[in-house]
Amino acid sequence: MRLPIAAGAATMAVTVSLYPLFQGGAWFWASLGAVVVVTAVGVPASRYSLPGWLAPLGQVVAIWIYLTAVFTPEKAWGRVVPTRESVVALARMLVGGFADIQRFAAPVPATTSITLLTCGGVALIAVLVDLLASRARRAALCGLPLLALFTVPAAVATEPVSWPAFIVAAAGYLGLLVADGRERVGHWGRAVLVRRASVTARTVADVGPLRLSGKRIGLTAVVLAVLLPALLPTLEPSPLFGFGVGNGRGKGNNSISISNPIVGLRGSLSLPANADVLSYTTSDNLPRYLRMYSLDIFDGQQWTMAGPSGLPEDRISRGPLPPPPGQSRETPVATVTTRITVSKTLKGLEFLPLPYPPSRIGIEGDWRPDRDSLMVFSTEDTAEGMTYTVVSDEPRPTAERLRSAAAAPQQITDRYLQLPRDLPREVKELAARETKDARTPYDRAVRLQEFFTSKGGFVYTLAAQGHGGQALTDFLIRNKAGYCEQFAAAMAVLARVLHIPARVAVGYTGGSRVGDHWQVGTHDSHAWPELYFEGTGWLRFEPTPTGLTGQGSATVPSYSRARAANEPGDQPSAAPAIGSGSSDLANGSASNPRNRRPELDYGGSGPIVVEEETPLAVRIGLGVAAVAFVVLIPAMLRLRLRGHRRRICSRAARPAVVLAEAPGTVTVRTGLWKQATTAVWAELGDTLYDYGVSRAPSETPRALAVRLSAQHGFDADAEAAVTRIAASAERMLFARTPGETGSPREDLRVVRRALAVSAPRGRRIRAVLLPPSTLTGMRTLGTRLLDVFDRLENLRLTGRKA
């Protein structure tokens, strides 16, 4: 009976790890019911030794009935017995469940179809685990189906499986192994013939030490599995985007090979450590988005870019960069100087992270801009470890100026309005529906941004995959869950549907403020759309949700906010530049969802300044202090116990209580002297153990006192003190009164000092810092905690037969 219950408990323990995949708890209770059904069939099958093939068959039938009763009772006979209609209904729900898990990103809604699919899958795992553990007696092999169940959240969920869920799952599997080991070892022994009773009895082997050793090994393995990864160096991909720019090019070649820059965004955002990418300072002390790539081609599946071209006459060493496309001389601009230092850990960085639009760049090497996009690249040099200066002329448009922008020229519309012919009709209808009241391209752009950030019901999550074809329609209309890649790509597509030239930029957000500079890490990797307005040029928009519920370090430019769109006639001072004005929404967190911070107009505060990094010497000191604190825990526990015993002795030293006033009056300290004597004797025993002095269980207190005095060369005071302690212990056992006990605290102090004098130096240090008596007590406590398994295993569903 023990193995089926342990198998069910192990399956349910691993099932707990699925919690990040679902919204709500309906899936859990349905799965719990399925596991209970499997266990309820497996227990009697084991108790009455039914054929091994019969139990799985019965469990499958029972699960069928259970699923029918829970999910399609109206189609069943008596709401329980399956019928043809209930079978068809279950099959349709399963098909719908498979379709739903393809449409939704984790955490998925708790629809009936998804709950049925999850419950059925857990039930099949439970049947397989019970078959291997209870029928085939191969409990160790149960780790394979349980591992398959455990890897589902590890492969699908964005966040790693939490350590409590891992501990619960590991404990369930270890409990199954313990139960199987007890079943096996418990049958050891020898047959004994009892003649008078005419029966054969079997002595049961004592498996207590074996069980305890197994539990200790299992507990140690789980603790190491949780703690050891935190102590080892993290192995992770390159901190850029996980792709190699310029792979396969030779030195001096005039071409550059480029992988799709957007494919590695999710990997960078999901890295466990926010590795440093670059740092920068600005002349106005405000953050900037740093763009590297400009993607202008959408083929219906993904955004890519045409290969950039750099003319020899455009080398940045020869003077200013080409003027930004679409920006007229009448456009108000703010000149900002940015000084950027790239981390030495970045390899093969052939595109410079820059604030847009750059006008002059100071850097060593052969770097050239692409005239159409102003991406700056090199086929000869890389930027790792380099420091360079960028001067940018950032436009400061007003809402009125953007509303009155002229139509884009032919060369812009031909390139930046292209869409695949088979773009889904639902996408086009959505774009028209959400902007039906907007009169100008600028108003429609603001409406689109509002749709993604506040009105459309979108959710930020790194679990989403892809942005093209069916995935684009699912993101916009059905699941509405994704991260910056989906938001940027979708808004650029909708903008082109509305005849607004658009492209997708890939780079980094402004990062976090650290002292006098801004620090950018892998978690600040980002994608955003750029929309074209004649006279102003390309402007950044931010459809990705920001702040606590979105990508933390993303910011919404002031000119794109709804307030600016609804108030014509804004002055330049009210609409600062892209990422440069005081009213820009900014914060200092990394974009990883586990490090989000609030944002100004979207639910939070403005720029968050991070203090300077703690000096190395201080960090080392704090680390040493933390280690010392952990090491000294046994000593602190020992001091606490010693203080408790001293307080007991102090209470016992209070004035005596007179029980009677007559000739031969007896004066005693009622009850307290026995407590004090017990505390003193226990303290003496722990002191002896700390200093490595053995004590035989059969040795009387008086014999112990005599041996200590002779063996350790006690002086007269120490000999008298240990004699008084021994005499008090004997009187507690055999006399009604304590007699003359003296001061127990002072006697203990004298004996402890005498033992320390006779002990080696190493023994004295260990007795103070790592007292063995405390370590033994901690070990005993751990043993008692592990014995909880034994109590659970000894539970019986029915009483023993007489």
Side-chain angles (χ1 to χ4, degrees), residues 629-757:
F629 176 79
V630 174
V631 172
L632 291 177
I633 287 178
M636 291 186 290
L637 294 177
R638 182 74 177 92
L639 291 175
R640 184 176 181 275
L641 179 59
R642 184 180 300 166
H644 173 68
R645 289 167 176 170
R646 285 177 177 174
R647 288 190 293 272
I648 294 177
C649 294
S650 298
R651 290 197 298 268
R654 294 171 183 171
V657 178
V658 179
L659 297 182
E661 295 183 357
T665 295
V666 178
T667 303
V668 298
R669 294 182 177 91
T670 55
L672 295 179
W673 72 275
K674 291 187 176 181
Q675 296 179 17
T677 302
T678 302
V680 169
W681 190 250
E683 179 63 23
L684 178 62
D686 287 347
T687 302
L688 294 176
Y689 191 65
D690 291 341
Y691 285 99
V693 179
S694 62
R695 177 190 168 197
S698 60
E699 194 172 23
T700 64
R702 184 172 302 182
L704 175 64
V706 172
R707 183 173 64 84
L708 291 177
S709 300
Q711 186 175 355
H712 295 275
F714 283 3
D715 57 17
D717 292 339
E719 183 178 356
V722 74
T723 301
R724 282 192 295 269
I725 294 174
S728 179
E730 288 183 342
R731 293 188 67 86
M732 181 190 67
L733 295 174
F734 306 112
R736 296 180 57 189
T737 61
E740 295 298 329
T741 58
S743 174
R745 293 180 56 180
E746 181 64 22
D747 290 341
L748 276 174
R749 187 184 64 81
V750 172
V751 173
R752 186 184 305 109
R753 181 180 298 175
L755 289 172
V757 170

Side-chain angles (χ1 to χ4, degrees), residues 383-628:
E384 61 264 22
M386 297 192 68
T387 298
Y388 53 95
T389 302
V390 183
V391 178
S392 53
D393 295 326
E394 299 175 346
R396 289 194 170 183
T398 63
E400 188 61 33
R401 181 179 181 87
L402 294 176
R403 285 192 180 95
S404 59
Q410 186 72 27
Q411 64 268 25
I412 294 292
T413 57
D414 288 347
R415 180 174 179 179
Y416 295 103
L417 288 182
Q418 292 184 9
L419 288 171
R421 294 183 178 180
D422 58 349
L423 187 70
R425 179 173 51 86
E426 299 96 324
V427 175
K428 299 178 181 179
E429 293 176 350
L430 173 67
R433 182 171 64 251
E434 295 298 328
T435 60
K436 60 181 179 181
D437 297 329
R439 294 171 297 174
T440 67
Y442 167 71
D443 292 325
R444 289 193 285 269
V446 174
R447 291 288 182 85
L448 287 181
Q449 181 174 273
E450 267 193 316
F451 170 65
F452 287 107
T453 57
S454 59
K455 297 182 178 181
F458 286 86
V459 176
Y460 182 89
T461 173
L462 292 176
Q465 296 283 350
H467 56 268
Q470 185 63 35
L472 174 65
T473 306
D474 290 340
F475 170 73
L476 287 172
I477 299 175
R478 298 182 181 89
N479 56 41
K480 295 187 175 183
Y483 57 102
C484 59
E485 174 186 343
Q486 282 76 32
F487 285 98
M491 181 170 176
V493 170
L494 295 182
R496 289 191 176 187
V497 171
L498 298 173
H499 304 287
I500 305 174
R503 63 191 185 190
V504 174
V506 180
Y508 299 98
T509 60
S512 306
R513 183 68 177 268
V514 180
D516 60 350
H517 66 276
W518 296 86
Q519 192 70 42
V520 176
T522 51
H523 293 171
D524 297 306
S525 304
H526 194 49
W528 63 91
E530 292 180 334
L531 276 56
Y532 181 88
F533 298 91
E534 182 64 22
T536 302
W538 292 99
L539 291 178
R540 171 178 71 90
F541 282 75
E542 187 53 86
T544 303
T546 61
L548 186 62
T549 58
Q551 186 162 347
S553 57
T555 62
V556 178
S558 58
Y559 55 77
S560 69
R561 279 180 267 168
R563 179 178 58 82
N566 294 328
E567 294 179 5
D570 283 351
Q571 300 301 317
S573 59
I578 191 168
S580 63
S582 60
S583 60
D584 269 2
L585 307 179
N587 58 38
S589 73
S591 59
N592 192 311
R594 64 177 69 94
N595 295 326
R596 299 176 188 133
R597 303 227 178 130
E599 200 177 7
L600 194 60
D601 286 356
Y602 285 74
S605 60
I608 297 177
V609 178
V610 181
E611 296 295 334
E612 287 282 3
E613 186 178 1
T614 306
L616 179 60
V618 176
R619 285 184 289 166
I620 293 176
L622 293 176
V624 172
V627 172

